[in-house]
Structure formats: C-alpha cells, structure tokens
Amino acid sequence: MKPDFSFYNFDVLSSTNDKAREFAKERKANLVVVAKKQEKGRGRFGRKWSSSPGGLYMTIILKEKGLDKAKYLTFIAAVSVAKAIRKIAGLDAKVKWPNDILINHKKVCGILTENVCTNVNYALVGIGLNVNQKKFPRSIMRNSTSIMIESNSNYDIEKIAKTIINEFNRLYDYYNKKNYKKIVDIWKEYSHTLGKMTKAKTLSGNYTGKAVDVDEECNLILKLNDGSIKKIVEADIFVI
Ligand code: BTN
C-alpha cells in the first residue's frame, strides 16, 4: 500500500535534512520537511547548496529496506522531479547520473540522500530545486538555472512540491515491491548522461569514455577510449 506523506512546513531551517534527521530519530517516517530557505543547505561531498527564497528545499523521510538500497530512492526522486517539471512547466528536464536534474544542460536540481541508522534505518532524501530564482552566486552561475529562467514564468512552489511527492509515491511502489530493475529502466528513459562522452572524477582518479549503460545497482558504465569497460560507483560527472 502506498504511504500518505504529511508535509511539515518551515520558513527557515539550517537544512531540511537536519530537521528530517531529528524527526527520524523520533521514529517518524513518510514525512516531508519543507523550508522556504536554508541557512546551511548542503550538497554532495560537503558542498554548500545555495538556498535563497524562491527555491524548493525539501526532505522526504522514509524507512529503508537496507543501506545499499537508498540509491534507488535517489533515482526515484530524480525522475519524480523531472516528471514534475515537464508536467508543470513543459520543459525538457533530464536526469544526470547520479543525482542531478538538468534543463538545457544546466543544473536545476540536486538530490542529497543520507541515512539515519537506529534499530530501524531511515533514508533522508533531500531535494533542492531552483524554481523562481532569477540569479545565482557567481561560483555556480554558469552551470545553474531555475524553472523561472528557463520558462520566464513564476511557479507555485507548494504545488510543485505536491506534484513531486505524487510522482514519487507512484514510483515508490516499485521500491516497496523490490522491483529495482524497473526503477533503473524508468530512470534511463529520462537520462541526459547515457550515450554521451563523459569524464568521471572519482576518488581513485579520472576516467573518460562513453556512458554506455547504468547497471541494476545504479552504477554508471563507461566504455573507455581503449575499449575497456569501467564501472563508476561514485563520481562527479562532466559531459564533454
Ligand atoms: C547536490 O547536488 O550536491 C545535492 C544538493 C541537495 C540540496 C538539498 S536542499 C534540501 C536538502 N537539504 C540540504 O541541506 N540539502 C538538500
């Protein structure tokens, strides 16, 4: 059965993922924490996430099936955001491995999934979506965009949040049924990365090749220039 998600709305938080962590420690799940702005929004690899008013900042709290399964939640969230953008703004949003959403090759959304381990494990799926912002800090200006910038219209942030959660709920059914292959297959339909020449910056070095597949464990498969196959588990990806 699909869960009903309850929304908890805040004007300001340090980070919706931090607030979500507090709720998870109280054993609350199927909640969505939303803030109008964040004072310490964060992204992958400890980076700062620009969180001014006009964006959507939210974290979904879920019970987890196992620590290695959270990556499917990231994929579900990415597809849900892309679908919501397409539905509401009619823009061609695509998912970039592993956790970004792009419009016209620029980043409009990032996802940060974290775990809370107690005797029950929880996943915190944090979504930062640029909705009505007109500009960004200089450091991210070149590669960032918002739905507003791409469509020249303002959007109701609450409506977007609800649409994302509806889409998420639909796809979450596959997760509950452990149909992980289906999640990856749907993600591939929205992929920006597959088929492109890509540079992967990993902790063990950089790899350049064609992104030929995403396997059933959500890893990116690169065909390197020497013809060998390289499985990328965690990296920053640059389409070249
Ligand atoms: C990334 O692209 O590096 C991921 C960015 C994730 C940002 C969201 S905003 C809501 C939630 N709270 C945070 O502090 N981070 C995530």
Side-chain angles (χ1 to χ4, degrees), residues 15-17 38 40-44 49 57-59 99-100 107 110-112 126-128:
S15 153
T16 54
N17 272 31
Q38 301 183 116
K40 284 193 180 152
R42 59 177 185 274
R44 287 167 78 219
W49 183 258
Y57 311 104
M58 72 176 182
T59 302
N99 68 335
D100 292 348
K107 181 159 170 170
I111 295 165
L112 178 68
I127 299 173

Coordinates of all heavy atoms in Angstrom, one line a residue, residues 15-17 38 40-44 49 57-59 99-100 107 110-112 126-128, ligand 1:
S15 N 19.0 23.3 7.6 CA 19.0 22.3 6.5 C 17.7 21.4 6.7 O 17.5 20.9 7.8 CB 20.2 21.5 6.4 OG 20.0 20.3 5.8
T16 N 17.0 21.2 5.6 CA 15.8 20.3 5.8 C 16.3 18.9 6.1 O 15.6 18.1 6.8 CB 14.9 20.3 4.5 OG1 15.7 20.0 3.4 CG2 14.2 21.6 4.3
N17 N 17.5 18.5 5.7 CA 18.0 17.2 6.0 C 18.3 17.1 7.5 O 18.1 16.0 8.1 CB 19.3 16.9 5.2 CG 19.0 16.3 3.9 OD1 17.9 16.5 3.3 ND2 19.9 15.4 3.4
Q38 N 17.1 27.9 3.5 CA 18.0 27.2 4.4 C 19.2 28.1 4.7 O 19.8 28.7 3.8 CB 18.5 25.9 3.7 CG 17.4 24.9 3.3 CD 17.9 23.7 2.8 OE1 17.8 22.6 3.4 NE2 18.6 23.7 1.7
K40 N 22.0 26.7 6.1 CA 23.2 25.8 5.9 C 22.9 24.7 5.0 O 23.2 23.5 5.3 CB 23.7 25.3 7.2 CG 24.5 26.3 8.0 CD 25.2 25.7 9.1 CE 26.0 26.8 9.9 NZ 26.2 26.5 11.3
G41 N 22.3 25.0 3.8 CA 21.9 24.0 2.8 C 23.2 23.3 2.3 O 24.2 24.0 2.1
R42 N 23.2 22.0 2.2 CA 24.4 21.3 1.8 C 24.2 20.4 0.6 O 23.0 19.9 0.5 CB 25.1 20.6 2.9 CG 24.3 19.6 3.6 CD 25.1 18.9 4.7 NE 24.3 17.8 5.2 CZ 23.4 17.9 6.2 NH1 23.2 19.1 6.8 NH2 22.7 16.9 6.6
G43 N 25.2 20.1 -0.1 CA 25.1 19.2 -1.2 C 26.1 18.0 -1.1 O 26.6 17.8 0.0
R44 N 26.3 17.3 -2.1 CA 27.2 16.1 -2.1 C 28.6 16.6 -1.8 O 29.0 17.7 -2.1 CB 27.2 15.4 -3.4 CG 26.0 14.6 -3.7 CD 25.9 14.2 -5.1 NE 26.8 13.1 -5.4 CZ 27.6 13.0 -6.5 NH1 27.6 13.9 -7.4 NH2 28.3 11.9 -6.7
W49 N 24.9 24.3 -0.6 CA 23.8 24.4 -1.5 C 23.2 25.8 -1.4 O 22.6 26.1 -0.3 CB 22.8 23.3 -1.3 CG 21.7 23.3 -2.3 CD1 20.4 23.8 -2.2 CD2 21.8 22.8 -3.7 NE1 19.7 23.6 -3.3 CE2 20.5 23.1 -4.3 CE3 22.8 22.2 -4.5 CZ2 20.2 22.7 -5.6 CZ3 22.5 21.9 -5.8 CH2 21.2 22.2 -6.3
Y57 N 13.1 23.6 -1.1 CA 14.1 22.8 -0.3 C 13.3 21.8 0.5 O 12.5 22.2 1.4 CB 14.9 23.7 0.6 CG 15.4 24.9 -0.2 CD1 14.8 26.2 0.0 CD2 16.4 24.7 -1.1 CE1 15.3 27.2 -0.8 CE2 16.9 25.8 -1.9 CZ 16.3 27.0 -1.7 OH 16.7 28.1 -2.5
M58 N 13.4 20.5 0.2 CA 12.6 19.6 1.0 C 13.3 18.3 1.2 O 14.2 17.9 0.4 CB 11.2 19.4 0.3 CG 11.2 18.6 -1.0 SD 9.5 18.4 -1.5 CE 9.7 17.4 -2.9
T59 N 12.9 17.6 2.2 CA 13.5 16.3 2.5 C 12.4 15.3 2.8 O 11.5 15.5 3.7 CB 14.5 16.4 3.7 OG1 15.5 17.3 3.4 CG2 15.1 15.0 4.0
N99 N 22.7 12.1 -9.5 CA 21.6 12.7 -8.7 C 21.2 14.2 -9.1 O 20.8 14.9 -8.2 CB 22.0 12.7 -7.2 CG 23.2 13.6 -7.0 OD1 24.0 13.9 -7.9 ND2 23.3 14.2 -5.8
D100 N 21.5 14.5 -10.3 CA 21.1 15.9 -10.7 C 20.0 15.9 -11.7 O 19.8 14.9 -12.4 CB 22.3 16.6 -11.4 CG 23.5 16.9 -10.5 OD1 23.3 16.7 -9.3 OD2 24.6 17.2 -11.0
K107 N 22.2 22.8 -14.4 CA 21.6 22.1 -13.2 C 20.5 22.9 -12.6 O 20.6 24.1 -12.3 CB 22.7 22.0 -12.2 CG 22.3 21.2 -10.9 CD 23.5 20.7 -10.2 CE 23.2 20.1 -8.8 NZ 24.3 19.4 -8.2
G110 N 19.4 19.3 -7.3 CA 20.3 18.3 -6.8 C 19.6 17.5 -5.7 O 18.7 18.1 -5.1
I111 N 20.1 16.3 -5.6 CA 19.5 15.4 -4.5 C 20.6 14.9 -3.6 O 21.6 14.5 -4.1 CB 18.7 14.3 -5.2 CG1 17.6 14.8 -6.0 CG2 18.2 13.3 -4.2 CD1 17.0 13.9 -7.0
L112 N 20.3 15.0 -2.3 CA 21.3 14.5 -1.3 C 20.6 13.5 -0.4 O 19.7 13.9 0.4 CB 21.8 15.7 -0.5 CG 22.8 15.3 0.6 CD1 24.1 14.8 0.0 CD2 23.0 16.5 1.5
G126 N 16.9 14.4 0.3 CA 16.9 15.9 0.3 C 16.9 16.4 -1.2 O 17.7 16.0 -2.0
I127 N 15.9 17.2 -1.5 CA 15.8 17.7 -2.8 C 15.9 19.3 -2.8 O 15.1 19.9 -2.1 CB 14.4 17.3 -3.4 CG1 14.3 15.8 -3.4 CG2 14.2 17.9 -4.8 CD1 12.9 15.3 -3.8
G128 N 16.8 19.8 -3.6 CA 16.9 21.2 -3.8 C 16.6 21.6 -5.2 O 17.3 21.2 -6.1
Ligands
BTN1 C1 23.9 18.2 -4.7 O1 23.6 18.5 -5.9 O2 25.1 18.3 -4.3 C2 22.8 17.9 -3.8 C3 22.0 19.1 -3.3 C4 20.9 18.8 -2.3 C5 20.3 20.1 -1.7 C6 19.1 19.8 -0.9 S1 18.2 21.2 -0.5 C7 17.2 20.2 0.6 C8 18.1 19.3 1.3 N1 18.7 20.0 2.5 C9 20.0 20.2 2.3 O3 20.8 20.7 3.1 N2 20.4 19.6 1.1 C10 19.3 19.0 0.4

